[in-house]
C-alpha cells in the first residue's frame, strides 16, 4: 500500500518499508522475513515508491485506488510527514508493537493526519482487510 498526491502537475508516491539488511543475518532470506517480522520490529523507512508509481502510470487495472481532495493547507502536511528516509519502526504485526507500522498502518496514519479520518484502522494493518474496506466504499475512482 502506498500514498500518493498530486500537486502542480507533479505526482509523489510514498511507501513504508523495512530494509532486509536490518534483519538478523539468519532471517534475511525472503522466506524467513515473516518469521522475524511478526514477532519483532526493525527500523522503518519512507521511500519514493517507484513500483507503485509505475503501476499507476501503466493503468492496467492492477491497483485499487481511493482518492480524496486535499486543500492548500493539507498538501504541505503530506509533504512534511511523508519525507523520505528513516522513520519509526516496522513490524508485520504493528498492533502488537506500540508505535510500529507496516505499509497499511503507515499510509492510514499519514492520510488521516493530513486529511482527517478518511481511512479506517484495520486489524494488524492487514492488506486484505483494507482492500475489503476500500471495495465496500462508494467512491467511483476505485478500480481493481
Amino acid at each position: 500500500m502506498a500514498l500518493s498526491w498530486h500537486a502542480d502537475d507533479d505526482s509523489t508516491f510514498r511507501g513504508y518499508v523495512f530494509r532486509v539488511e536490518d534483519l538478523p543475518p539468519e532471517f534475511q532470506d525472503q522466506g524467513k522475513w515473516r518469521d522475524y517480522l511478526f514477532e519483532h520490529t526493525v527500523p522503518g523507512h519512507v521511500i519514493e515508491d517507484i513500483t507503485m508509481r509505475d503501476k499507476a502510470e501503466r493503468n492496467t487495472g492492477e491497483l485499487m485506488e481511493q482518492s480524496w481532495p486535499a486543500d492548500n493547507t493539507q498538501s504541505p502536511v503530506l509533504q512534511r510527514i511523508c519525507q523520505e528516509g528513516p522513520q519509526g519502526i516496522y513490524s508485520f504485526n504493528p498492533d502488537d508493537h506500540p508505535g510500529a507500522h507496516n505499509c497499511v498502518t503507515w499510509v492510514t496514519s499519514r492520510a488521516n493526519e493530513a486529511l482527517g479520518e478518511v481511512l479506517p484502522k484495520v486489524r494488524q494493518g492487514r492488506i486484505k482487510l483494507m482492500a475489503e474496506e476500500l471495495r465496500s466504499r462508494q467512491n467511483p475512482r476505485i478500480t481493481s
Side-chain angles (χ1 to χ4, degrees):
M1 187 164 174
L3 179 64
S4 68
W5 62 93
H6 313 281
D8 301 325
D9 295 327
D10 188 33
S11 296
T12 302
F13 287 80
R14 293 289 188 261
Y16 191 69
V17 300
F18 67 94
R19 293 193 173 148
V20 174
E21 58 267 20
D22 290 332
L23 297 169
E26 62 272 22
F27 291 97
Q28 290 184 2
D29 178 81
Q30 186 174 1
K32 296 183 180 182
W33 295 351
R34 292 174 60 88
D35 293 340
Y36 188 80
L37 288 170
F38 272 108
E39 300 295 327
H40 302 89
T41 64
V42 293
H45 299 271
V46 177
I47 62 164
E48 175 66 22
D49 198 329
I50 58 174
T51 301
M52 293 298 256
R53 180 202 64 209
D54 291 349
K55 286 180 180 181
E57 287 175 357
R58 284 193 304 269
N59 195 21
T60 61
E62 63 186 308
L63 292 181
M64 179 182 302
E65 182 180 349
Q66 182 78 50
S67 301
W68 299 272
D71 65 31
N72 290 340
T73 64
Q74 294 167 321
S75 292
V77 173
L78 283 169
Q79 292 282 0
R80 179 179 49 80
I81 64 177
C82 298
Q83 291 183 20
E84 291 178 76
Q87 189 179 109
I89 54 176
Y90 188 101
S91 172
F92 282 172
N93 274 336
D95 294 352
D96 295 350
H97 302 280
H101 287 289
N102 61 21
C103 65
V104 173
T105 62
W106 183 84
V107 167
T108 300
S109 70
R110 296 313 181 259
N112 289 348
E113 183 176 339
L115 305 174
E117 296 294 317
V118 295
L119 284 172
K121 294 177 181 160
V122 297
R123 182 181 53 79
Q124 297 289 13
R126 296 292 179 253
I127 193 74
K128 288 181 181 181
L129 296 176
M130 183 58 79
E132 289 172 16
E133 178 66 35
L134 293 177
R135 279 187 196 100
S136 73
R137 293 176 176 224
Q138 297 295 319
N139 187 328
R141 296 227 6 166
I142 294 177
T143 60
S144 56

